[in-house]
């Protein structure tokens, strides 16, 4: 009976929030309501400069617990009045992402600057004069108009361009415990957070909770990043709505109403935090679901994760049907169970969740810091501080013989040695090539798609040189290594990303086949009939293809769509497959590394394991300035790791070591080929992510000429790399890139030249040496 009364109160809370109007950028009425509702359960309320509402609950005991940020956006979609036309009709433009298909003929309310409401109708032509072709499609957004039934003069007197138009609906209760209303995206989550605070009212907690009703999520998650940067929480949990199962929403995308919240999995989610929430849910018997996000979750979590120095972030999704319409629908039971989960997790969150900072930012630059990993709850597979220290001691002797690739092949090793012997290099070049290729052979065959880079990070930890000052693993999983702390000169950050493109399991169908989505940018045309490895067990599988005999007409030449692709692991049915594979597990290509042809290496993930091999070699040298090696994560899904790494390092100069487009192919005209194999390292002056610092580029040209190192321009503006993230973070840093040309980049089998790789190392080394005396200070 008590639980029933509580659910009734939560229902009333949700109804009140759903009635409020608060379009993106105009959230003040909702903020006032939330402040009033939250007052009994929090210690303080605060609105920041952007309009985010902070609800602060202070710790209830002395033990130093974590600062936990809960985020749920309070803004809603709608329309803006874009013009007033003859006759007093109002033209509209979208505010957020409203669906034209849900507005024709609907009643609306126009709210003016004084808060006065004017009822109106989204007009349509009578069917008697509507052409047949018009019936077959919805009009463009610009064609919508609102009729408020006033004369043009009266409209101009009371309504202005920029006033907001909302659906004119009241919340309804449907069936048992289900509510339909406008703006349940995301007032349902705001109600859930408020209810969690109510459940905490009499609980003893060590954590400080800052629950934020964020603004402008519908315009690009703007409020969440501002709030997270200011709050600097130890961890964050975002709440939003997910696509509820309904006709037209498949089971790979949708989640079921009445079955509890979905715990999202993917690069945007901190694995350790997700696991802690899952463990809590199991302990208190809260039913949960799985939601898979191969890249952006499209929620506040996306920008919270990379705010400031990075924040361990999780996402709880409430099932919601008919998203971005006036009849959104939720099950109140899902909200109640999610609130219970949040409250219980917060009660048990202790000091183990508090994050540390690297010693180079806390006054320890001059000390003999040694090696220590400093990540909390990274992913359950990363090394502890002690393990990282032991790994560093072994790194001095680490080579391909000591750390063989999985399932090593003596024949392949012999072929690689024979191929290297034929390459035209001096003795020093041959020895350098041997080390680089030995490391690249192992790195290439490690499995590390964006968000799942732990195997690559562990291998690098095992191969670090002894003489480093500090090792730090940040909240994103970046591996940051410092040498020369306390020395004069510029702080130099050299970056190479650990992640690779890959696939992710969305779910298992009745036949035991795995439905998949892409991580990073992969041309779907290269996928049919490929061999792959699935999940942490590296299960062998194949990407199925319909027999050519059964493909007719255009079907033979039409490119596949990801929703039609699947991986076959040989399971006889769904039950058998689900014992082996779970949604959210990653998939990589099963390519074996080889040295082929005229000094070329072939393998997967050469973007950017080639850069990692070079950076590891550079890290073995002593530098006259503070040198920071950043082995970053999630480059392939938006340069995300480098954003956080730059905030931890605060560099003056950033150098991205990359592999880049090489399109010296028969069907590509000369001006579009970007780079050529055997043409030397590629220098970029601009791409989609950044414009290289001109003085740094000139210094690279100067040292290349002085050292006799061949190089080429990267003659393409497409794509981008971590230099773009480094350049824009940490107050700005002067950046440039040096890249290895790579054929067939982002495919299962890439090619690069060993000579290009050697010259890329030599040019990067010469450039960095020149920085000590010649770096541009203007």
């Amino acid at each position: 009976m008590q639980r029933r009364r509580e659910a009734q109160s939560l229902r009333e809370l949700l109804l009140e929030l759903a009635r409020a109007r608060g379009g993106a950028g105009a959230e003040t009425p909702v903020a006032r309501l939330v402040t009033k509702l939250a007052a009994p359960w929090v210690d303080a309320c605060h609105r920041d400069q952007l309009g985010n509402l902070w609800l602060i609950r202070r710790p209830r005991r002395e033990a130093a617990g974590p600062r936990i940020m809960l985020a749920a956006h309070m803004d809603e979609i709608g329309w803006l009045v874009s013009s007033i036309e003859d006759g007093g009709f109002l033209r509209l433009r979208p505010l957020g992402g409203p669906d034209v298909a849900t507005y024709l003929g609907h009643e609306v309310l126009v709210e003016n600057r004084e808060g006065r409401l004017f009822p109106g109708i989204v007009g349509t032509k009578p069917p008697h004069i509507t052409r047949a072709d018009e019936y077959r499609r919805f009009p463009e957004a610009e064609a919508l108009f609102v009729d408020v039934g006033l004369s043009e003069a009266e409209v101009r007197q009371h309504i202005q361009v920029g006033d907001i138009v909302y659906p004119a609906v009241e919340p309804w209760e449907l069936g048992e415990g289900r509510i339909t209303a406008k703006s349940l995206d995301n007032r349902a989550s705001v109600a859930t957070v408020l209810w969690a605070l109510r459940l905490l009212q009499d609980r003893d907690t060590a954590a400080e909770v800052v629950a934020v009703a964020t603004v402008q999520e519908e315009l690009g998650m703007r409020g969440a990043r501002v709030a997270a940067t200011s709050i600097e929480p130890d961890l964050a949990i975002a709440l939003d709505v997910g696509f509820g199962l309904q006709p037209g929403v498949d089971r790979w995308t949708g989640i079921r109403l009445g079955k509890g919240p979905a715990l999202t999995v993917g690069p945007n989610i901190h694995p350790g935090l997700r696991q802690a929430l899952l463990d809590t849910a199991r302990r208190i018997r809260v039913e949960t679901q799985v939601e898979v996000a191969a890249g952006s979750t499209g929620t506040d979590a996306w920008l919270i994760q990379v705010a400031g120095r990075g924040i361990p972030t999780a996402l709880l999704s409430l099932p919601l049907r008919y998203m971005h319409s006036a009849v959104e629908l939720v099950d109140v039971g899902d909200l109640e169970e999610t609130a219970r989960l949040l409250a219980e997790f917060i009660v048990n969150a202790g000091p183990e969740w508090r994050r540390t900072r690297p010693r180079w930012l806390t006054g320890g630059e001059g000390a003999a810091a040694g090696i220590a990993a400093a990540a909390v709850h990274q992913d359950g597979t990363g090394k502890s501080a002690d393990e990282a220290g032991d790994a560093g001691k072994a790194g001095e002797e680490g080579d391909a013989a000591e750390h063989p690739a999985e399932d090593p092949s003596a024949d392949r090793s012999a072929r690689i040695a024979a191929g290297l012997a034929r390459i035209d290099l001096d003795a020093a070049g041959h020895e350098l090539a041997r080390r680089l290729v030995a490391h690249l052979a192992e790195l290439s065959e490690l499995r590390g798609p964006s968000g799942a880079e732990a195997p690559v990070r562990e291998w690098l930890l095992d191969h670090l040189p002894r003489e480093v000052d500090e090792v730090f693993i940040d909240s994103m999983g970046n591996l940051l290594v410092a040498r020369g702390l306390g020395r004069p000169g510029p702080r130099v950050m050299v970056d190479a990303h650990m992640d690779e493109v890959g696939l992710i399991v969305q779910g298992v169908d009745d036949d035991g086949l795995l439905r998949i989505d892409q991580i990073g940018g992969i041309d779907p045309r290269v996928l049919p009939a490929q061999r792959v490895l699935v999940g942490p067990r590296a299960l062998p599988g194949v990407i199925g293809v319909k027999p050519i005999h059964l493909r007719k007409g255009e079907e033979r030449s039409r490119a596949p769509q990801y929703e039609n692709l699947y991986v076959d692991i040989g399971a006889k049915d769904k039950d058998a497959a689900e014992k082996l594979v779970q949604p959210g597990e990653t998939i990589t290509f099963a390519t074996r590394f080889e040295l082929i042809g005229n000094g070329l290496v072939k393998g997967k993930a050469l973007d950017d394991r080639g850069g990692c091999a070079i950076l590891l070699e550079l890290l073995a040298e002593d530098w006259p300035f503070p040198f920071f090696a950043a082995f970053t994560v999630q480059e392939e899904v938006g340069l995300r790791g480098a954003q956080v790494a730059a905030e931890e390092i605060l560099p003056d100069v950033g150098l991205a070591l990359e592999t880049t487009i090489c399109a010296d192919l028969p069907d590509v005209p000369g001006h579009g080929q970007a780079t050529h194999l055997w043409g030397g390292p590629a220098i970029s002056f601009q791409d989609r992510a950044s414009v290289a610092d001109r003085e740094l580029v000139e210094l690279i040209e100067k040292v290349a000429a002085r050292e006799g190192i061949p190089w080429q321009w990267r003659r393409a503006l497409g794509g981008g790399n971590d230099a773009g993230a480094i350049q824009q973070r940490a107050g700005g840093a002067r950046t440039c890139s040096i890249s290895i040309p790579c054929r067939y980049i982002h495919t299962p089998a890439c090619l690069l030249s060993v000579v290009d790789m050697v010259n890329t190392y030599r040019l990067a080394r010469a450039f960095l040496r020149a920085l000590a005396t010649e770096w541009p200070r203007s």
Side-chain angles (χ1 to χ4, degrees):
M1 180 64 72
Q2 176 67 18
R3 288 285 294 277
R4 183 174 297 178
R5 284 198 298 269
E6 288 180 354
Q8 181 75 1
S9 299
L10 176 56
R11 179 188 65 81
E12 291 167 358
L13 185 72
L14 178 60
L15 290 172
E16 193 168 358
L17 286 166
R19 289 188 184 100
R21 288 175 297 280
E27 299 92 350
T28 295
V30 185
R32 289 173 180 159
L33 174 60
V34 174
T35 301
K36 182 188 78 171
L37 294 170
W41 309 321
V42 299
D43 299 311
C45 298
H46 164 71
R47 283 197 84 188
D48 63 25
Q49 292 284 69
L50 197 62
N52 297 299
L53 174 62
W54 301 12
L55 307 172
I56 303 167
R57 185 185 189 275
R58 300 190 180 97
R60 297 299 192 261
R61 57 178 185 259
E62 292 184 3
R67 176 177 291 172
I68 299 175
M69 176 181 175
L70 305 178
H73 73 87
M74 60 180 164
D75 60 313
E76 63 183 292
I77 59 169
W79 297 89
L80 295 174
V81 175
S82 62
S83 66
I84 300 171
E85 300 197 345
D86 293 346
F89 297 106
L90 307 177
R91 289 290 183 188
L92 307 178
R93 63 177 300 174
L95 177 63
D99 183 358
V100 172
T102 66
Y103 275 87
L104 277 182
H106 280 240
E107 297 177 65
V108 294
L109 293 171
V110 182
E111 185 173 35
N112 71 5
R113 307 296 169 86
E114 290 75 41
R116 183 176 170 185
L117 298 174
F118 295 85
I121 298 169
V122 180
T124 61
K125 289 196 298 186
H128 315 71
I129 60 171
T130 302
R131 300 191 310 270
D133 65 307
E134 292 179 291
Y135 276 126
R136 290 194 290 269
R137 64 181 186 277
F138 287 101
E140 298 296 324
E142 302 80 42
L144 292 185
F145 64 90
V146 171
D147 186 344
V148 293
L150 299 175
S151 68
E152 182 178 342
E154 290 173 307
V155 170
R156 293 186 182 278
Q157 179 183 353
H158 298 293
I159 297 174
Q160 302 177 51
V161 169
D163 287 347
I164 302 179
V165 179
Y166 298 99
V169 294
E170 278 292 310
W172 278 5
E173 296 183 61
L174 301 180
E176 275 193 47
R178 294 190 173 179
I179 289 176
T180 180
K182 71 167 185 65
S183 71
L184 295 182
D185 174 11
N186 191 32
R187 306 289 166 70
S189 295
V190 175
T192 301
V193 170
L194 289 175
W195 201 246
L197 293 171
R198 182 220 176 276
L199 295 177
L200 287 170
Q201 190 173 16
D202 300 318
R203 304 290 298 273
D204 183 29
T205 57
E208 177 186 20
V209 179
V210 184
V212 186
T214 62
V215 297
Q216 299 189 35
E217 191 270 355
E218 300 292 1
L219 300 179
M221 296 87 76
R222 298 173 182 174
R225 187 167 201 165
V226 169
T229 303
S230 300
I231 294 167
E232 293 187 313
D234 294 299
L235 61 99
I237 303 171
L239 287 88
D240 212 318
V241 293
F243 298 107
L245 276 176
Q246 63 184 72
V249 176
D250 65 39
R251 54 181 168 161
W252 320 121
T253 305
I255 49 181
R256 295 183 181 277
L257 269 70
K259 296 296 184 180
L263 282 164
T264 307
V265 61
N268 191 189
I269 306 305
H270 189 280
L273 179 54
R274 182 182 185 274
Q275 187 61 50
L277 286 165
L278 185 59
D279 292 344
T280 302
R282 288 169 176 163
R283 179 166 52 82
I284 64 173
R285 298 183 180 178
V286 168
E287 189 174 11
T288 62
Q289 306 180 67
V290 178
E291 180 183 58
V292 178
S296 173
T297 57
T299 70
D300 281 343
W302 187 242
L303 291 189
I304 291 172
Q305 184 188 32
V306 294
R309 298 184 300 112
I311 299 166
T313 303
L315 173 63
L316 293 174
S317 293
L318 301 171
L320 175 138
R321 289 180 184 158
Y322 322 126
M323 193 180 296
H324 281 206
S325 78
V327 293
E328 294 174 334
L329 187 146
V330 296
D331 188 310
V332 177
D334 292 330
L335 280 62
E336 183 186 12
E337 291 297 274
T338 305
R340 280 209 307 129
L341 171 57
L342 284 174
E344 189 68 20
F345 173 80
I346 291 167
V347 165
N348 290 281
E352 70 278 5
W353 283 103
R354 291 177 63 87
R355 292 189 297 148
T356 60
R357 301 196 72 176
R359 279 185 285 266
W360 64 72
L361 293 180
T362 57
E365 283 206 12
I371 299 180
V376 177
H377 292 278
Q378 174 54 40
D379 54 22
T381 59
K383 294 183 179 291
S384 68
D386 292 339
E387 289 173 319
D390 293 340
K393 297 170 187 175
E396 189 172 274
E397 296 82 29
D399 60 19
E402 270 192 272
H403 302 276
E406 182 181 344
D407 188 24
S409 164
D411 289 343
R412 185 184 65 173
S413 298
R415 288 197 298 273
I416 289 176
L420 288 173
R422 294 194 297 270
I423 296 175
D424 185 16
L425 287 168
D426 57 25
H430 271 287
E431 178 56 27
L432 174 60
R434 185 196 67 80
R435 295 196 303 270
L436 289 174
V437 172
H439 282 156
L440 184 57
E442 296 189 52
L443 284 164
S444 170
E445 293 185 353
L446 294 171
R447 304 178 60 240
S450 303
E453 300 91 347
V456 184
R457 184 172 60 245
E458 290 174 15
W459 186 95
L460 289 165
L461 279 167
D462 284 342
H463 288 75
L464 293 179
R466 182 191 300 271
E467 306 83 3
V468 301
D469 295 337
E470 185 172 1
V471 176
F472 186 79
I473 302 171
D474 66 22
S475 66
M476 293 285 290
N478 297 306
L479 174 60
L480 311 180
V481 188
R483 287 199 70 165
L485 291 178
R487 293 178 179 175
R491 295 168 71 90
V492 178
M493 172 180 173
V494 185
D495 165 284
H497 67 88
M498 298 183 286
D499 61 314
E500 63 188 285
V501 296
L503 304 167
I504 193 167
V505 178
Q506 287 190 303
V508 182
D509 69 16
D510 293 338
D511 294 322
L513 303 174
L514 311 182
R515 296 295 174 169
I516 60 175
D517 199 359
Q518 62 180 325
I519 299 176
I522 305 175
D523 184 344
R525 295 175 301 174
V526 306
L527 295 179
Q530 290 287 354
R531 297 185 178 202
V532 295
L533 299 172
V534 181
R537 303 183 190 183
L539 296 170
V542 296
I543 299 178
V545 57
K546 185 177 181 179
I548 191 171
H549 317 69
L550 305 179
R551 299 203 304 271
K552 307 298 182 184
E554 287 187 6
E555 192 178 10
R556 289 196 174 195
S557 59
R558 188 167 57 238
Q561 302 297 309
Y562 275 95
E563 54 264 31
N564 298 325
L565 291 171
Y566 58 88
V567 169
D568 190 337
I569 58 171
K572 63 181 181 180
D573 55 28
K574 182 176 182 179
D575 289 342
E578 287 183 335
K579 290 177 182 177
L580 300 171
V581 180
Q582 296 298 314
E585 291 183 353
T586 57
I587 301 170
T588 55
F589 302 119
T591 313
R592 302 298 293 175
F593 183 90
E594 297 282 356
L595 197 149
I596 65 173
N598 186 19
L600 300 181
V601 293
K602 177 267 298 180
K604 75 167 184 63
L606 301 187
D607 173 19
D608 184 32
R609 306 288 163 73
C612 289
I614 291 174
L615 181 51
L616 191 63
E617 190 75 20
L618 291 170
L619 188 56
E621 298 197 34
D622 193 30
W623 299 94
F625 45 71
F627 180 94
F628 297 87
F631 299 95
T632 58
V633 299
Q634 296 195 35
E635 191 268 357
E636 300 293 1
V637 291
L639 321 181
R640 295 174 63 74
Q643 297 178 48
V644 172
E647 293 287 350
E648 294 284 13
I649 293 170
L650 302 177
D652 298 303
V653 176
L655 169 64
L657 295 174
E658 259 285 12
T659 51
T660 194
I661 309 163
C662 180
D664 53 350
L665 306 171
D667 296 331
V668 180
H671 67 273
Q673 293 185 354
T675 64
H676 294 80
L677 289 186
W678 302 287
I683 311 304
S684 176
F685 49 86
Q686 182 179 350
D687 57 32
R688 289 180 183 171
S690 66
V691 177
D693 184 275
R694 186 67 235 179
E695 290 181 89
L696 291 179
V697 171
E698 289 173 354
L699 181 57
I700 294 172
E701 295 180 70
K702 178 180 176 181
V703 298
R706 187 165 62 208
E707 301 288 334
I709 301 170
W711 62 278
Q712 58 186 310
W713 289 114
R714 181 185 186 273
R715 301 184 309 277
L717 298 183
N721 60 46
D722 279 344
I726 299 166
Q727 187 177 67
Q728 297 178 59
R729 296 299 289 262
R734 306 179 73 164
T735 61
C736 56
S737 304
I738 301 177
S739 303
I740 313 165
C742 180
R743 276 187 194 156
Y744 320 123
I745 200 166
H746 285 206
T747 72
C750 312
L751 292 178
L752 59 80
S753 158
V754 174
V755 173
D756 285 342
M757 193 175 180
V758 167
N759 283 326
T760 300
Y761 164 81
R762 286 176 165 172
L763 182 56
R765 181 182 184 279
F767 165 69
L768 292 168
R769 289 290 172 197
L771 277 179
T773 55
E774 303 176 58
W775 80 288
R777 299 173 185 273
S778 58

